[in-house]
Amino acid sequence: MLQVAEEKTNEDASQMIASTALIDLRGVSKVYGKGQAAVQALKGIDLRVPRGDFVAVMGHSGSGKSTCMNILGCLDTPTTGEYFFEGVAVGKLSRDQRALLRRHYMGFVFQGFNLLQRTSALENVELPLIYRGLPIKQRREKAREALAAVGLSNWEGHTPSELSGGQQQRVAIARAIVSNPQLLLADEPTGNLDSARSKEIMELIVQLNRERGLTIVMVTHEPDMAAYALRQVQFLDGQIEWVQTF
Amino acid sequence: MLWEAFMLAQRAIRRNVLRSSLTVLGIVIGVAAVIIMVTLGNGATVKVAEDISKLGSNMLQVRVGQSLRRTGGVSSDAPPFHLEDAQAIASQIAGLQAAAPMSIKPMQVIYGSENKSTSITGTTSEYLTIREWKVVQGRGFNEGEERAGQSVCLLGETVRKALFGSEDSINETVRIGKLAFKVIGLLEAKGQSSFGTDQDDFVLIPIRTFQRRLAGNLDVGSILVSAKDGVSTTKVKADIEVLMRERRNIGPNQADDFYVRDMKEIIDTMTSTTKILTALLGAVAAVSLLVGGIGIMNIMLVSVTERTREIGTRLAIGAMERQVLMQFLVEAVVLASFGGLIGIASGLGIALLGARLLEMPFVLNIGVVVGAFLFSGAVGIVFGYFPARKAARLDPIEALRYE
Ligand SMILES: Nc1ncnc2c1ncn2[C@@H]1O[C@H](COP(=O)(O)OP(=O)(O)OP(=O)(O)O)[C@@H](O)[C@H]1O
Ligand SMILES: [Mg+2]
């Protein structure tokens, strides 16, 4: 199954590499529920994100930012419209194939960190590599590198409860980048942090974008944080209100 | 992948030691119960077999009636044996050590103001040979006493104690019914048989005395026979059957109105009872193992709910459904098997102790130990599957949002 997803991805990508961005949303809508209770969270979104881009998604609460992020992260599929990731139509993939896509191409950072409790920072960072089937030695090595990249070399053995919020989010970022993904998806990564900590995290994310060419899509409520991005996308009631490039 | 799942499982288990221990307690108790029941049951079976063969494994008993009844009660229409039958067996069957006629009647024995209800057994001195029973004081019947049917008796230890206590009993006179008997010897104490009966609770008198004075007829209840060492009891049994059919004029198409029981048969009968009991107790204990399985399912469900966010994270990171399923399934199986191991260890320990206390042999049954271990693992699979599937089917978005 892994093979299939990878071959398909490579094949389609090589055919369309010139014409496609990393992310290509075409008329994506999402409807939750049915009949009277139906909520249209997204109403025909068109968005292209080229490689190496850094997009900040802004908008009121309930405007559909997280819904859009879930679709980008292949955790959910559009009700109508198409989502192409590296030219692959995600909507046609099975649940397991989407899992493989996430495993090999995407990293996630959440507002609430979502680290495994009572598990050391190193082991948390190792987690995606376990699912990649890497032998323990390589896992350790890569996890150490990732922790070093977020500046937590000395905190490998600490469990989340022994780390500050900022440190926990750094561990989460290390976990997201340890498998060398194409795309980093961050839904309000600084939502639980104070402004000093937020600034540090944003600087780290910018660094990943600049130095590694990592494509980043980040949801935030704060214009200060959005200002770090190369582009800002404003959502309004399930539609894109405006896009601004700096 | 299985190894990874195993590592993840043992990590998850160690993360919550107290709960894990409580979870497996049910399995521990279930497995221990099965092991204890089966081990002690097997011990009891072996002990019964040993005790019976102590009676003399080369012993056979010829009885009136049909073997199907196995009650030992004299069939109403079947004619009883006579002394001549015992003599015929003794003289005509090859390979015999001895043959003794035997009749039993429950009666009171009285000495002074003491009295004791016991079995009065009429027999010959051959009886002592066959049962390998020693006279510890005094002597056995002599030929004259036996032929003339004199009123002499040998006391079992229980009867002696009841009537005489610490007093001397040899040459004293006791009363059985209206008759006076002289005590000429005391029998060695054999203690309880494995069926819980007191083997020493009896009085021996010569068979002729029994017939004339107590029964008032010439009947003989049964004939006790012992084969020489190395002689097949099956062969002896067949020979006796031919002889007795002839003596009792049973035609070729007629059913026997007597039967010969050899010790092997008695052992089989007795041990089959304890075997059935062992199986039953084992089965009851196995049910408690199932209950332990439900405990595992319960805790696994709680664990899945509690770790919803973790599962969401794993799914987001790229875990496939079957990997999550495997993780929780392996966790359940590891828990259950671990419980099984502890259960086996404690069960064997308790069984060893129990066997010591009950003075039974400790019979280790590897089959049951392996079976219990495999069964506990299977319990883990069966009861872990539902929670594991629940975890694997979670929607990652909802799981990540779960508080
Ligand atoms: N699973 C769901 N079932 C039903 N409705 C949903 C579901 N998820 C989201 N919605 C609805 O879709 C709309 C968009 O929600 P979404 O979570 O994308 O908003 P958001 O922009 O991320 O808001 P916030 O800034 O508060 O996180 C909302 O009206 C929400 O109530
Ligand atoms: Mg949101």
Side-chain angles (χ1 to χ4, degrees):
Chain A
M1 212 176 293
L2 176 103
Q3 225 69 32
V4 175
E6 263 173 347
E7 273 168 24
K8 195 172 161 62
T9 312
N10 292 338
E11 189 184 292
D12 292 358
S14 61
Q15 282 171 7
M16 309 170 83
I17 198 108
S19 61
T20 53
L22 183 65
I23 288 171
D24 191 353
L25 293 177
R26 294 187 191 166
V28 166
S29 300
K30 182 71 191 181
V31 181
Y32 288 113
K34 278 188 183 132
Q36 288 282 314
V39 176
Q40 189 156 20
L42 293 178
K43 302 168 183 167
I45 300 282
D46 289 298
L47 181 68
R48 292 168 57 113
V49 179
R51 271 166 214 287
D53 203 354
F54 181 0
V55 179
V57 177
M58 312 254 294
H60 297 294
S61 184
S63 58
K65 306 183 295 294
S66 294
T67 306
C68 186
M69 289 294 273
N70 289 337
I71 289 174
L72 290 180
C74 299
L75 294 167
D76 208 349
T77 50
T79 310
T80 58
E82 287 270 31
Y83 167 34
F84 296 96
F85 181 82
E86 288 211 321
V88 178
V90 173
K92 293 194 181 74
L93 301 180
S94 70
R95 190 177 145 130
D96 276 347
Q97 283 174 321
R98 282 186 276 126
L100 288 171
L101 212 56
R102 290 197 294 275
R103 182 188 295 179
H104 290 278
Y105 298 98
M106 297 175 185
F108 291 85
V109 177
F110 309 97
Q111 179 176 352
F113 320 137
N114 279 338
L115 298 175
L116 264 57
Q117 297 305 307
R118 276 169 273 183
T119 305
S120 73
L122 192 68
E123 283 176 334
N124 262 293
V125 176
E126 263 182 51
L127 198 61
L129 301 178
I130 290 180
Y131 290 112
R132 278 196 162 196
L134 250 67
I136 177 118
K137 259 191 158 169
Q138 287 184 44
R139 247 161 44 200
R140 282 276 134 91
E141 199 179 310
K142 289 196 178 221
R144 290 217 163 92
E145 281 172 21
L147 274 176
V150 299
L152 286 180
S153 281
N154 297 327
W155 301 85
E156 283 173 1
H158 290 68
T159 60
S161 57
E162 298 163 354
L163 297 170
S164 72
Q167 287 172 323
Q168 288 188 54
Q169 194 61 301
R170 280 167 189 275
V171 174
I173 291 172
R175 181 180 64 188
I177 61 168
V178 73
S179 53
N180 249 330
Q182 303 278 315
L183 175 65
L184 182 73
L185 294 164
D187 197 341
E188 301 189 40
T190 60
N192 284 8
L193 303 175
D194 62 41
S195 58
R197 251 26 73 196
S198 297
K199 206 167 157 249
E200 285 170 20
I201 292 294
M202 286 316 301
E203 275 159 9
L204 180 59
I205 291 176
V206 167
Q207 190 192 346
L208 292 172
N209 176 246
R210 297 239 175 94
E211 290 177 8
R212 304 193 177 206
L214 185 59
T215 312
I216 295 168
V217 179
M218 175 188 79
V219 171
T220 181
H221 279 288
E222 298 156 83
D224 288 358
M225 302 302 134
Y228 284 91
L230 301 174
R231 266 202 303 164
Q232 291 183 9
V233 176
Q234 180 74 25
F235 272 59
L236 181 66
D237 289 343
Q239 286 176 311
I240 292 178
E241 193 184 10
W242 49 256
V243 179
Q244 195 174 9
T245 311
F246 297 93
Chain B
M1 180 170 135
L2 206 64
W3 176 247
E4 290 299 348
F6 178 77
M7 294 307 288
L8 286 173
Q10 61 103 11
R11 205 172 288 169
I13 290 166
R14 276 192 320 195
R15 258 193 275 161
N16 211 331
V17 176
L18 178 65
R19 183 202 286 172
S20 303
S21 325
L22 288 176
T23 308
V24 300
L25 201 59
I27 296 279
V28 171
I29 291 171
V31 168
V34 170
I35 300 274
I36 293 167
M37 289 306 161
V38 173
T39 307
L40 288 186
N42 284 340
T45 309
V46 169
K47 180 158 165 43
V48 167
E50 272 177 10
D51 284 359
I52 299 171
S53 24
K54 253 186 239 153
L55 299 176
S57 55
N58 55 353
M59 207 165 84
L60 298 95
Q61 199 173 23
V62 190
R63 292 188 171 206
V64 174
Q66 257 145 16
S67 69
L68 278 179
R69 291 207 186 110
R70 289 234 166 119
T71 52
V74 176
S75 170
S76 53
D77 46 349
F81 298 128
H82 299 289
L83 283 178
E84 292 73 23
D85 292 312
Q87 282 154 10
I89 288 174
S91 59
Q92 290 176 42
I93 304 292
L96 285 197
Q97 189 187 37
M102 220 177 117
S103 287
I104 297 175
K105 193 173 182 185
M107 287 184 85
Q108 280 222 330
V109 190
I110 302 161
Y111 174 73
S113 58
E114 306 294 335
N115 71 84
K116 172 93 179 84
S117 305
T118 186
S119 312
I120 307 302
T121 306
T123 186
T124 62
S125 49
E126 259 77 46
Y127 178 88
L128 297 176
T129 314
I130 295 170
R131 302 266 341 244
E132 294 172 356
W133 215 310
K134 289 193 194 74
V135 177
V136 288
Q137 209 188 329
R139 55 173 180 85
F141 308 129
N142 63 34
E143 222 176 295
E145 285 161 348
E146 284 188 2
R147 205 177 318 121
Q150 289 183 3
S151 296
V152 291
C153 68
L154 304 174
L155 299 185
E157 173 59 18
T158 305
V159 179
R160 185 205 65 76
K161 218 184 200 162
L163 297 185
F164 293 96
S166 55
E167 284 172 47
D168 196 15
S169 54
I170 298 291
N171 289 331
E172 295 296 329
T173 301
V174 297
R175 276 200 304 123
I176 300 174
K178 296 193 179 81
L179 301 165
F181 282 76
K182 192 169 101 180
V183 178
I184 59 165
L186 298 178
L187 294 166
E188 159 198 38
K190 284 208 173 187
Q192 282 213 335
S193 76
S194 52
F195 337 115
T197 54
D198 182 357
Q199 300 186 80
D200 301 317
D201 187 6
F202 75 138
V203 172
L204 287 188
I205 63 174
I207 180 78
R208 282 184 202 275
T209 319
F210 185 98
Q211 288 174 327
R212 273 185 221 150
R213 304 289 186 89
L214 297 185
N217 57 37
L218 293 176
D219 297 354
V220 165
S222 64
I223 301 166
L224 207 58
V225 177
S226 73
K228 280 189 181 137
D229 281 345
V231 174
S232 148
T233 51
T234 320
K235 167 86 165 56
V236 169
K237 180 179 169 179
D239 289 349
I240 292 174
E241 275 165 357
V242 171
L243 176 68
M244 292 309 286
R245 283 178 71 85
E246 194 183 301
R247 289 184 62 83
R248 290 166 79 86
N249 293 317
I250 298 168
N253 299 324
Q254 270 175 289
D256 289 354
D257 60 359
F258 68 95
Y259 63 96
V260 184
R261 281 218 294 191
D262 65 5
M263 262 317 166
K264 223 175 77 209
E265 202 180 324
I266 299 173
I267 290 172
D268 287 349
T269 317
M270 294 309 295
T271 55
S272 77
T273 318
T274 54
K275 274 180 190 155
I276 289 170
L277 238 113
T278 305
L280 246 155
L281 288 172
V284 170
V287 170
S288 70
L289 237 174
L290 284 184
V291 176
I294 294 170
I296 286 210
M297 175 148 88
N298 192 10
I299 294 292
M300 288 303 292
L301 281 173
V302 171
S303 171
V304 167
T305 309
E306 216 183 58
R307 286 154 69 188
T308 300
R309 272 171 85 97
E310 174 193 325
I311 296 162
T313 309
R314 289 178 183 277
L315 288 169
I317 275 172
M320 285 194 287
E321 242 176 80
R322 62 190 156 90
Q323 289 176 309
V324 175
L325 181 97
M326 198 53 112
Q327 181 192 336
F328 280 88
L329 203 53
V330 167
E331 197 174 317
V333 173
V334 167
L335 268 178
S337 319
F338 187 62
L341 283 181
I342 298 179
I344 287 169
S346 50
L348 286 178
I350 294 170
L352 188 64
L353 214 78
R356 283 266 169 78
L357 287 177
L358 298 170
E359 290 175 349
M360 285 188 328
F362 173 77
V363 185
L364 180 67
N365 187 334
I366 294 293
V368 170
V369 171
V370 173
F373 180 68
L374 293 181
F375 192 61
S376 58
V379 163
I381 293 180
V382 170
F383 291 97
Y385 183 76
F386 176 65
R389 201 189 59 168
K390 194 182 156 199
R393 296 235 174 129
L394 282 178
D395 176 6
I397 300 169
E398 274 169 26
L400 281 167
R401 247 196 327 226
Y402 184 85
E403 290 304 327

